[in-house]
Amino acid sequence: LKAAERKQAEILLQQAENKYEILYQNMPVGVIYQNLEGKLIDINPAAERILGVNLTQIHDLEAFHTSLKIIHEDGSDFLIEENPGAIALKTGEPLHNQLMGVYSSAEKGYRWININAVPQYKSGEDKPEQVFITFEDVTERKVMGEALSESNYLLQTIIDTSPLRIFWKDRGSRYLGCNPAFAIDAGKTHPNELVGKDDYQLVWNAQAELY
């Protein structure tokens, strides 16, 4: 390249690096770079904010696990060898949507994060040199999902145990579902037996034909 062209290329490269750095420092998603030896190479501010710790003082993956109480969704401890970054480095394969609970001493409870880990290779190498880990805080989403599941469970319990006959149909007047009380009245032993049927196929229609 000519001197002028080389200078222009350097300027464009510097502008691209500046844009990347601004994005990296201000993005809401946590980012961690970890090398093959387990050392945490680089960490963005969002990672520290989400986890509630100063990660710049943590030098490796083992210290990361020692500093934080990390659990699976079932409450069992998240072992160091189960860390998505460690697995991605070991297998050379990316991992996506790994859920991890990290205890927050400030909130006296767990923050839940959704993690993706992607191994990175040098050109021509078949073994990764580092892993690119991203994660987002999904605590509110998880709590809302659990609350919705609990509400649905309570609603279904009320429907199933109610002495009132409850049913719902599609626009073609075929049954989509009902509660046990209605199923018994219809001459069935289980609500599922009514799904897809209409009133002409139920016991009271047969009774009406007797008169």
Side-chain angles (χ1 to χ4, degrees), residues 189-206:
T189 58
H190 194 279
N192 287 345
E193 295 180 65
L194 272 81
V195 176
K197 292 181 170 57
D198 58 30
D199 288 323
Y200 292 101
Q201 298 170 281
L202 300 184
V203 67
W204 47 71
N205 185 62

Side-chain angles (χ1 to χ4, degrees), residues 149-192:
S149 294
E150 180 65 18
S151 295
N152 289 339
Y153 173 77
L154 291 174
L155 177 60
Q156 190 62 51
T157 300
I158 291 171
I159 291 173
D160 288 345
T161 58
S162 174
L164 299 174
R165 280 62 170 165
I166 302 173
F167 66 89
W168 48 100
K169 294 181 175 182
D170 63 16
R171 292 186 177 182
S173 294
R174 293 186 179 275
Y175 288 93
L176 296 174
C178 68
N179 69 342
F182 186 86
I184 292 171
D185 257 15
K188 305 297 181 183
T189 58
H190 194 279
N192 287 345

Side-chain angles (χ1 to χ4, degrees), residues 84-118:
I87 294 175
L89 284 171
K90 182 178 180 179
T91 64
E93 298 292 334
L95 272 77
H96 298 289
N97 300 319
Q98 303 293 299
L99 191 63
M100 176 187 289
V102 181
Y103 186 77
S104 169
S105 56
E107 300 180 15
K108 307 298 182 185
Y110 284 90
R111 303 299 296 177
W112 292 93
I113 58 176
N114 187 52
I115 306 173
N116 297 292
V118 180

Side-chain angles (χ1 to χ4, degrees), residues 12-200:
L12 292 175
L13 178 60
Q14 185 61 51
Q15 289 176 343
E17 289 177 347
N18 290 341
K19 288 179 181 179
Y20 169 79
E21 184 63 20
I22 291 172
L23 174 63
Y24 180 73
Q25 294 295 329
N26 294 281
M27 65 194 301
V29 175
V31 177
I32 295 176
Y33 285 92
Q34 173 194 331
N35 70 10
L36 195 57
E37 289 72 39
K39 181 178 175 57
L40 306 185
I41 304 168
D42 201 4
I43 299 141
N44 76 338
E48 295 187 322
R49 184 176 65 254
I50 292 171
L51 298 176
V53 295
N54 184 357
L55 291 178
T56 56
Q57 297 176 356
I58 299 176
H59 303 295
D60 55 42
L61 187 60
E62 187 171 354
F64 177 84
H65 276 260
T66 303
S67 302
L68 299 173
K69 181 169 175 54
I70 306 171
I71 62 171
H72 291 281
E73 194 169 9
D74 64 5
S76 61
D77 289 336
F78 219 115
L79 304 179
I80 187 170
E81 59 267 23
E82 296 175 321
N83 185 282
I87 294 175
L89 284 171
K90 182 178 180 179
T91 64
E93 298 292 334
L95 272 77
H96 298 289
N97 300 319
Q98 303 293 299
L99 191 63
M100 176 187 289
V102 181
Y103 186 77
S104 169
S105 56
E107 300 180 15
K108 307 298 182 185
Y110 284 90
R111 303 299 296 177
W112 292 93
I113 58 176
N114 187 52
I115 306 173
N116 297 292
V118 180
Q120 297 184 318
Y121 300 79
K122 283 185 177 179
S123 179
E125 297 287 336
D126 58 1
K127 188 175 183 180
E129 64 164 343
Q130 64 181 24
V131 62
F132 174 62
I133 303 167
T134 61
F135 55 91
E136 60 175 330
D137 189 336
V138 295
T139 306
E140 291 184 8
R141 191 187 311 166
K142 186 175 186 299
V143 170
M144 289 179 64
E146 289 173 348
L148 179 60
S149 294
E150 180 65 18
S151 295
N152 289 339
Y153 173 77
L154 291 174
L155 177 60
Q156 190 62 51
T157 300
I158 291 171
I159 291 173
D160 288 345
T161 58
S162 174
L164 299 174
R165 280 62 170 165
I166 302 173
F167 66 89
W168 48 100
K169 294 181 175 182
D170 63 16
R171 292 186 177 182
S173 294
R174 293 186 179 275
Y175 288 93
L176 296 174
C178 68
N179 69 342
F182 186 86
I184 292 171
D185 257 15
K188 305 297 181 183
T189 58
H190 194 279
N192 287 345
E193 295 180 65
L194 272 81
V195 176
K197 292 181 170 57
D198 58 30
D199 288 323
Y200 292 101

